[in-house]
Amino acid sequence: MQIWFLGTGAGRPNKQRNVSSIALQLPEPCSNWWLFDAGEATQHQLMNTPLKLSKLDTIFVTHLHGDHIYGLPGLLSTRSFDGGVTPLRMIGPRGLRRYIETVFEISGTTLDYELEYVELGEADGQLAYEDERFSVVASTLIHRVPCFGYRVVEHDQPGRLLADKLKQLGVAPGPQYGLLKQGQDITMQDGTVIYANDVTAPSLPGRVVTILGDTTPCANVLELAMGADLLVHEATFAAGMEEKAHLFGHSTTVEAAKAAAEAGARKLVMTHFSGRYHNENLLQLEEEAQTLFGAATAATDLTCIEIERRT
């Protein structure tokens, strides 16, 4: 599982940073990926990654400020040209559907695939998405417009089959392997029972990734980030600028670090930096956060991070 930072700037793009967008590459055997926000020129940033728009199947939107959604119409249109024909889920605040449909109506845009909308109410801990491998919970944050954070939870995966042990027990590859892999015990022709737990390695623990929209410090940040393997938290301003940050519904580096520490996250990646900070300032911003949380880093555009599984 990998996470790509397509845009790490706040408000407007500059020469070093594009505006907000994050891609989450799902683990094998999945070939699909998810997108969190799509600021202006997100599709341009994607050209610098191996991610294909035809494999994008879900977009999560944190809120409807322009630096998080102005890239959506062009990206959705290009997906048709890139061979995207499968339905695409759009999950986000109320008004998301009206925004997209209005732009497409006025511009005469048509798509070769269906858009499926899920508009979230302003509630905490609501299930935004679930399938056999993942669940995603959304909760409200404190910003100037309705805004959400998302907690992506990968379900634990069955351990691998111990092929050498199965061979010793006389179990030939085939349908019985599949049953054991699913955790079902099998009975051999001679009446011997092979217990699935005896011939499989321990299950693989699922990973937790928390991706927040714009926010000032609040209780739901901690709920969403509790025990996360990776927390993505905005850090629009440097330490000491808390009053200005809160005035505009944002956080500072030390507030992001404090949240990661209190939530027991394994790693913190800060993003959504004000245009007043250049990439040369990121080391200072990292050091501010690391005074409270050692595993803190500042993302730059096109940073790709592997999300390690707990052992």
Side-chain angles (χ1 to χ4, degrees):
M1 184 187 291
Q2 294 178 325
I3 190 166
W4 288 84
F5 290 85
L6 304 175
T8 58
R12 58 183 179 177
N14 60 38
K15 292 182 178 180
Q16 295 181 324
R17 285 192 290 275
N18 200 42
V19 283
S20 294
S21 187
I22 293 170
L24 183 65
Q25 174 68 64
L26 303 181
E28 294 181 352
C30 300
S31 60
N32 295 344
W33 57 280
W34 294 346
L35 186 66
F36 292 80
D37 290 338
E40 180 184 353
T42 291
Q43 64 173 318
H44 290 259
Q45 294 290 78
L46 283 169
M47 295 178 189
N48 298 305
T49 76
L51 301 171
K52 305 300 181 184
L53 275 177
S54 59
K55 296 296 184 179
L56 171 63
D57 68 27
T58 305
I59 298 176
F60 296 88
V61 175
T62 62
H63 63 295
L64 300 182
H65 274 157
D67 58 326
H68 293 255
I69 64 168
Y70 282 170
L72 281 174
L75 182 146
L76 295 174
S77 179
T78 298
R79 186 174 185 264
S80 285
F81 291 101
D82 283 359
V85 295
T86 55
L88 177 66
R89 284 178 293 271
M90 300 278 292
I91 300 173
R94 290 171 181 159
L96 175 61
R97 180 173 190 155
R98 181 160 59 96
Y99 165 65
I100 296 298
E101 290 183 347
T102 299
V103 172
F104 283 178
E105 178 186 358
I106 293 172
S107 63
T109 300
T110 59
L111 303 178
D112 295 331
Y113 57 91
E114 180 183 357
L115 289 178
E116 301 173 352
Y117 292 93
V118 177
E119 294 193 330
L120 304 170
E122 292 185 39
D124 300 330
Q126 55 192 309
L127 186 64
Y129 174 83
E130 187 172 33
D131 62 20
E132 67 280 355
R133 192 156 187 185
F134 293 94
S135 61
V136 182
V137 171
S139 287
T140 57
L141 303 172
I142 298 179
H143 193 47
R144 291 174 292 155
V145 298
C147 186
F148 293 91
Y150 295 100
R151 178 180 174 90
V152 180
V153 179
E154 179 188 24
H155 303 158
D156 292 347
Q157 299 298 304
R160 63 179 179 82
L161 288 176
L162 304 177
D164 291 343
K165 192 168 186 178
L166 286 168
K167 184 176 181 180
Q168 293 173 4
L169 295 170
V171 182
Q176 290 180 318
Y177 270 42
L179 294 173
L180 291 167
K181 182 71 173 177
Q182 296 169 20
Q184 299 182 38
D185 303 330
I186 63 171
T187 302
M188 305 290 285
Q189 289 185 343
D190 62 1
T192 302
V193 177
I194 306 296
Y195 296 98
N197 286 341
D198 293 338
V199 293
T200 55
S203 62
L204 300 175
R207 288 157 284 197
V208 176
V209 181
T210 300
I211 299 175
L212 304 178
D214 296 358
T215 188
T216 57
C218 63
N220 281 348
V221 167
L222 300 183
E223 290 289 334
L224 290 166
M226 194 62 61
D229 295 285
L230 178 66
L231 168 61
V232 179
H233 196 304
E234 68 126 284
T236 308
F237 295 101
M241 299 191 67
E242 285 73 21
E243 183 176 353
K244 184 177 182 68
H246 299 176
L247 179 64
F248 293 99
H250 294 299
S251 300
T252 66
T253 53
V254 293
E255 288 174 329
K258 183 179 179 182
E262 292 183 358
R266 294 181 67 196
K267 185 178 181 66
L268 166 67
V269 181
M270 298 179 295
T271 185
H272 199 268
F273 302 110
S274 166
R276 70 179 60 203
Y277 306 114
H278 300 288
N279 282 353
E280 305 84 67
N281 305 123
L282 294 185
L283 179 59
Q284 172 197 336
L285 299 181
E286 283 185 346
E287 290 174 346
E288 291 176 357
Q290 288 168 358
T291 60
L292 294 178
F293 187 77
T297 187
T300 56
D301 279 23
L302 301 179
T303 296
C304 179
I305 294 175
E306 185 76 28
I307 304 169
E308 301 291 343
R309 193 186 299 274
R310 295 174 188 257
T311 57

